[in-house]
Amino acid sequence: RIDTGRLEFSFVPVDLGRLLESLLIEILPVANKKQVTINYRGKGLKLPKVDADPDKIRAVYQNLIENAIKYSYKGATVTVEIRNRGTEILSSVTDVGIGIPKDEQKNIFTRFYRAPNAVKMYTEGSGLGLYLVYNVVKGHGGKVWFESEEGKGSCFLFTIPIPKK
């Protein structure tokens, strides 16, 4: 559906902060099992609602946070942040895990792609998670990007525009 442009969205007003907080409660057992701490920056913030498909945006957060946990080392901290930048909501997920090799970074949002160091650490996965993240964020009029250094971790960021009044 993504490739054919038939990825359908059901846009409604969404409080991304509340959506993220409920997801973090569900993901906590996964983090605890790996002994990864989640540091949430944004708890209780009053954010304006955005026009979004709650299920698909939830999948974006879930993919990014689960990847951060999966590719972090035991005992690490994953930082999840959300904030209002005036015309958009900026969300970020930062880990101190394996990172993405520089020569592999150009492929990271490509369908079925998984970096070789990720495959070694975690053998399961389809390579569709970040492809989905990219296309869902783009479908919401936002931007998605990342910063990463192999052996030091990654930070994935995305924006969703705030509707004009």
Side-chain angles (χ1 to χ4, degrees):
R1 286 185 183 177
I2 294 171
D3 286 344
T4 62
R6 292 190 327 227
L7 185 61
E8 295 177 15
F9 298 99
S10 297
F11 291 98
V12 297
V14 176
D15 181 330
L16 293 179
R18 290 185 69 189
L19 183 145
L20 183 53
E21 285 180 31
S22 70
L23 177 62
L24 287 171
I25 291 167
E26 289 178 29
I27 288 180
L28 200 54
V30 175
N32 289 341
K33 185 175 181 182
K34 182 139 184 207
Q35 297 177 353
V36 169
T37 302
I38 296 179
N39 176 17
Y40 177 46
R41 295 182 184 162
K43 186 174 176 96
L45 270 182
K46 273 297 214 188
L47 298 169
K49 290 186 177 182
V50 297
D51 293 328
D53 182 317
D55 293 333
K56 293 196 176 59
I57 288 295
R58 181 182 178 85
V60 166
Y61 282 118
Q62 187 168 355
N63 268 291
L64 294 177
I65 296 166
E66 287 181 351
N67 278 355
I69 294 166
K70 190 185 319 179
Y71 298 117
S72 286
Y73 303 110
K74 184 177 172 180
T77 297
V78 168
T79 302
V80 179
E81 184 172 6
I82 188 168
R83 62 186 165 151
N84 182 344
R85 290 205 326 187
T87 59
E88 61 194 6
I89 302 295
L90 172 69
S91 299
S92 64
V93 178
T94 306
D95 67 62
V96 285
I98 64 172
I100 303 162
K102 194 134 197 92
D103 60 335
E104 302 293 333
Q105 291 182 7
K106 66 187 176 303
N107 301 317
I108 211 67
F109 293 115
T110 305
R111 181 174 55 150
F112 301 124
Y113 181 77
R114 295 186 67 219
N117 63 336
V119 173
K120 283 182 199 167
M121 181 173 187
Y122 189 81
T123 57
E124 295 176 25
S126 64
L128 289 173
L130 292 175
Y131 180 68
L132 174 77
V133 164
Y134 178 83
N135 283 282
V136 168
V137 171
K138 194 171 113 183
H140 280 75
K143 297 180 186 89
V144 61
W145 69 99
F146 69 96
E147 299 159 2
S148 186
E149 190 173 337
E150 188 172 11
K152 294 190 177 181
S154 302
C155 178
F156 281 83
L157 308 98
F158 72 93
T159 60
I160 300 294
I162 296 170
K164 294 176 180 145
K165 294 182 180 179

